[in-house]
Amino acid sequence: MINLVSELLDKISLSSESVGFRYLNLGGKVLYLIGFKSVLKFSSNEITFKINNSTIITVRGDNLYIKEMDASSAMVCGEIKAVEAI
């Protein structure tokens, strides 16, 4: 599924290639993130991913969990209320 999302993002150019990551939020229920280095924080209300030395992505919401994850991509599920890049 992650490969399909990556292919879709390539086709529609919804990416942040300048900082090396891409994400797709599907209706506030599923978020696909591609290009992270590690998970910094994990709770049911907030999941924070390290992208590089100067960028992190924080997913906020309720009942959050990681359904799928590999070395550089993840599928976050739950009630996603905000996605913030810092």
Side-chain angles (χ1 to χ4, degrees), residues 14-83:
L14 292 176
S15 64
S16 298
E17 293 184 16
S18 62
V19 292
F21 70 94
R22 294 182 273 189
Y23 72 87
L24 179 63
N25 185 349
L26 299 175
K29 300 292 181 191
V30 177
L31 179 114
Y32 294 96
L33 174 64
I34 300 167
F36 73 90
K37 303 277 185 207
S38 63
V39 177
L40 298 176
K41 182 178 181 182
F42 181 85
S43 73
S44 64
N45 296 322
E46 184 176 301
I47 302 175
T48 302
F49 297 91
K50 180 179 180 180
I51 303 301
N52 56 37
N53 290 336
S54 62
T55 306
I56 62 170
I57 296 287
T58 300
V59 181
R60 290 189 178 90
D62 295 317
N63 304 315
L64 298 177
Y65 62 96
I66 297 174
K67 185 168 185 171
E68 283 185 43
M69 186 169 76
D70 62 19
S72 64
S73 59
M75 179 185 352
V76 177
C77 299
E79 294 178 42
I80 299 164
K81 295 181 179 177
V83 179

Side-chain angles (χ1 to χ4, degrees), residues 1-14 22 24 34:
M1 184 58 121
I2 298 287
N3 289 336
L4 173 63
V5 171
S6 181
E7 189 175 316
L8 286 170
L9 288 170
D10 287 340
K11 298 272 188 225
I12 58 177
S13 298
L14 292 176
R22 294 182 273 189
L24 179 63
I34 300 167

